[in-house]
Amino acid sequence: MTCREVRRELCRRWFAVDRGGAPDLADLQVHLVACAACRAEAETWAQLHGGLAGWPDEPPPADLVGGVMAAVAGLPAPAPRSDRFWRGLLGALVAWLALAGAGGAAALVWAPGSFAHMVREVVTAAALGGLIAARAGVALAAVARALLSEHPLAAAAAAVVFIALPLLGAQTAARRLRTQG
Amino acid sequence: MIARVQAGDRQAFSVLVERYQREVWNLALRMLDDREDARDVAQETFVRAFQAIGRFRAGEPFRPWLMRIASNLAVDRLRLRGRAHLELCETFPQPDGDPAEGVSRREAVERVRAAVAALPPEYRRLVVLSYLQGLTHQEIAAATGLALTQVKNRLYRARLMMKRTLEGKVAHDV
């Protein structure tokens, strides 16, 4: 083995070299006996290995557990992952149903008319659906995020967004239908 | 035990803290070399773990997950410092046996501590997790989000960096 190969191997397998006895390291051991420079390099590795192995394990502060438990005392209890998922899904479903109901009710209030007119309204509303859907998407995402994060302020903000945006969207749609009609 | 914590059992969480506090404390201390910082990071680790344990998937190993939180916090703290923290801790427990041998071993450990402390935070994290906390390469990959080959390559580079630092210190001492 060359010095270059030996040094690369010392770095790559320093633990194995330290333990010794590996048959595939016999060449390396022979080289170390003959080469003082590589032997010095091996000693540095051994020093590094020994220093890491001898690094003492220290006991933690006596009040660490107490400090942790005091810190978590004011936190809400963690909910299992499955609960969070189903609760989020249920919340999203309820939000979607409420959104559809609010939009429909708002359309009836702001744009009443004959059956044919209503059909035309529905078709036109579908064209405007992108606007409402975009707003509803933002609201749903905010609600889902709030449900998962369990932050009261975020939940309140999401509720405002959830209620206000679909109504604004429906109102906008109805206003456009009126001007078109 | 973890399922009980996920169900809101705080007593079970205190058992988890008792079980892992030594490991988290030593990880933080070895990475930060500062007792106050290590205490903050150890406590914050368990608080974050409590907050996030609802997202912990049953069946996954808990130890690398906890080590990930702790080492991320320690790396953040190191980056806040903005420089390699080369100060050494106050005292070491005196090893048993021959006092002369103890001093020599202590010096060797001190040199290595300085070499570890001179590493960039990401490399220091890998060295502490691997050579001091005893995590396997697979566990380190899980704890750091790195690929297995990245873990091996970075540990290789970290060893070279430590050796260079050590050689500099040895030459300086001589």
Side-chain angles (χ1 to χ4, degrees):
Chain A
M1 289 179 93
T2 65
C3 288
R4 184 185 175 87
E5 288 169 339
V6 165
R7 290 177 186 193
R8 192 187 304 131
E9 200 67 8
L10 282 172
C11 182
R12 196 173 70 82
R13 305 184 58 165
W14 62 321
F15 285 118
V17 172
D18 185 74
R19 282 196 296 269
D24 59 332
L25 293 174
D27 287 348
L28 189 146
Q29 304 284 11
V30 169
H31 182 98
L32 289 180
V33 170
C35 177
C38 287
R39 200 162 55 245
E41 177 119 350
E43 281 165 12
T44 305
W45 283 118
Q47 188 185 5
L48 181 56
H49 185 197
L52 288 172
W55 197 321
D57 199 45
E58 297 192 27
D63 59 349
L64 180 60
V65 178
V68 170
M69 295 315 293
V72 301
L75 297 174
R81 183 184 182 86
S82 55
D83 285 0
R84 283 170 180 263
F85 173 77
W86 289 114
R87 197 173 56 188
L89 191 64
L90 181 66
L93 183 63
V94 169
W96 186 83
L97 289 173
L99 177 68
L108 283 174
V109 168
W110 282 313
S114 65
F115 179 73
H117 182 68
M118 284 297 290
V119 170
R120 200 179 65 210
E121 282 177 2
V122 168
V123 173
T124 313
L128 295 169
L131 175 68
I132 299 172
R135 289 178 170 178
V138 172
L140 282 174
V143 168
R145 192 177 177 81
L147 284 169
L148 291 172
S149 71
E150 292 183 344
H151 289 307
L153 280 177
V160 169
V161 171
F162 164 67
I163 292 166
L165 283 186
L167 290 178
L168 281 173
Q171 189 183 23
T172 307
R175 192 177 297 136
R176 289 186 189 183
L177 286 172
R178 275 186 190 159
T179 55
Q180 286 170 6
Chain B
M1 181 66 69
I2 291 164
R4 281 172 56 197
V5 179
Q6 288 178 322
D9 185 343
R10 285 164 200 269
Q11 188 58 39
F13 183 68
S14 76
V15 174
L16 271 185
V17 178
E18 286 274 1
R19 186 180 297 171
Y20 288 100
Q21 61 165 330
R22 190 179 185 102
E23 190 158 11
V24 168
W25 162 254
N26 275 287
L27 168 72
L29 186 60
R30 287 160 171 172
M31 282 189 71
L32 297 166
D33 247 349
D34 181 286
R35 290 180 185 280
E36 284 306 310
D37 280 355
R39 177 194 290 266
D40 290 348
V41 163
Q43 181 161 323
E44 185 63 18
T45 296
F46 287 112
V47 171
R48 296 272 182 99
F50 182 79
Q51 290 174 316
I53 205 161
R55 296 193 294 276
F56 179 77
R57 291 177 188 168
E60 282 190 3
F62 182 71
R63 185 176 173 230
W65 184 77
L66 189 65
M67 293 298 110
R68 177 178 203 152
I69 297 174
S71 63
N72 280 345
L73 287 170
V75 167
D76 288 346
R77 186 65 64 108
L78 286 171
R79 285 180 180 149
L80 272 179
R81 286 181 190 167
R83 62 186 173 83
H85 194 64
L86 286 164
E87 296 162 21
L88 298 176
C89 277
E90 312 86 71
T91 54
F92 296 91
Q94 193 69 33
D96 297 331
D98 180 10
E101 187 192 343
V103 169
S104 166
R105 193 184 306 168
R106 203 171 70 182
E107 284 173 357
V109 171
E110 284 183 18
R111 285 198 190 102
V112 172
R113 286 171 81 120
V116 172
L119 289 171
E122 283 297 337
Y123 288 88
R124 195 188 309 193
R125 181 215 309 243
L126 296 182
V127 165
V128 171
L129 287 173
S130 179
Y131 304 133
L132 298 169
Q133 303 298 122
L135 268 68
T136 64
H137 288 171
Q138 284 85 358
E139 285 176 326
I140 294 170
T144 57
L146 294 171
L148 194 58
T149 49
Q150 283 179 305
V151 171
K152 289 178 181 174
N153 287 339
R154 289 187 188 190
L155 279 171
Y156 181 91
R157 284 202 288 272
R159 290 201 295 270
L160 280 177
M161 284 189 260
M162 286 192 293
K163 184 178 81 78
R164 282 177 199 138
T165 306
L166 208 56
E167 285 169 341
K169 284 203 173 293
V170 169
H172 181 73
D173 290 349
V174 172

